[in-house]
C-alpha cells in the first residue's frame, strides 16, 4: 500500500521532500477528477489532502470519501471541520488502537 498526497504546490512540497512518490499537484479545477482517480487506485492505502480542498468537493464525493476504508482519507489543515485521525484508523482497521 502506498501513501498519496493531492493538493496545490504549497501543500504537496513537504511531502515531496519527504520522499512520497504518489504526489498529485493540482489546481482547483483538476481536484475533483484527480481525487476520483486516486480513490480507484488499488495501490493507494492512505490519501492525504488539505481540509479546505475536501470541503470544496461536491457533496456526493465527500460522502464517498467519508465512507472510504481503502484508501483512508486523512485531511490536514483547513479552517473547517477537521478529520479525526483516531476515527479514521478505527474505521480502516476495525479496532480502536488507543483503548
Amino acid at each position: 500500500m502506498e501513501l498519496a498526497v493531492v493538493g496545490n504546490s504549497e501543500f504537496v512540497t513537504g511531502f515531496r521532500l519527504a520522499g512520497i512518490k504518489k504526489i498529485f499537484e493540482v489546481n482547483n479545477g483538476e481536484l475533483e477528477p484527480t481525487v476520483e482517480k486516486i480513490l480507484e487506485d488499488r495501490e493507494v492505502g492512505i490519501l492525504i489532502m488539505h481540509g479546505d480542498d475536501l470541503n470544496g468537493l461536491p457533496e456526493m464525493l465527500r460522502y464517498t470519501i467519508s465512507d472510504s476504508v481503502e484508501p483512508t482519507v486523512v485531511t490536514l489543515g483547513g479552517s473547517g471541520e477537521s478529520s479525526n485521525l483516531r476515527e479514521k484508523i478505527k474505521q480502516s482497521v476495525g479496532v480502536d488502537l488507543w483503548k
Side-chain angles (χ1 to χ4, degrees), residues 11-25:
F11 184 74
V12 301
T13 298
F15 295 100
R16 183 175 282 130
L17 293 172
I20 305 299
K21 303 260 188 282
K22 289 199 175 231
I23 300 287
F24 300 89
E25 188 174 321

Side-chain angles (χ1 to χ4, degrees), residues 3 25 30-31 39 41-42 62 78 82 85 88 93 97:
L3 182 69
E25 188 174 321
E30 303 167 331
L31 183 63
L39 290 175
D41 186 346
R42 294 189 185 274
R62 285 195 317 261
S82 66
L85 182 58
K88 289 294 186 179
V93 176
L97 299 176

Side-chain angles (χ1 to χ4, degrees), residues 75 77 80-84:
T75 57
E81 186 178 312
S82 66
S83 172
N84 185 341

Side-chain angles (χ1 to χ4, degrees), residues 41-53:
D41 186 346
R42 294 189 185 274
E43 293 181 4
V44 175
I46 299 174
L47 169 60
I48 299 175
M49 60 189 305
H50 195 275
D52 291 341
D53 288 343

Side-chain angles (χ1 to χ4, degrees), residues 8 26-33 53 57:
N8 64 28
V26 296
N27 297 319
N28 287 339
E30 303 167 331
L31 183 63
E32 182 180 348
D53 288 343
L57 292 173

Side-chain angles (χ1 to χ4, degrees), residues 65-66 71:
I65 288 171
S66 71

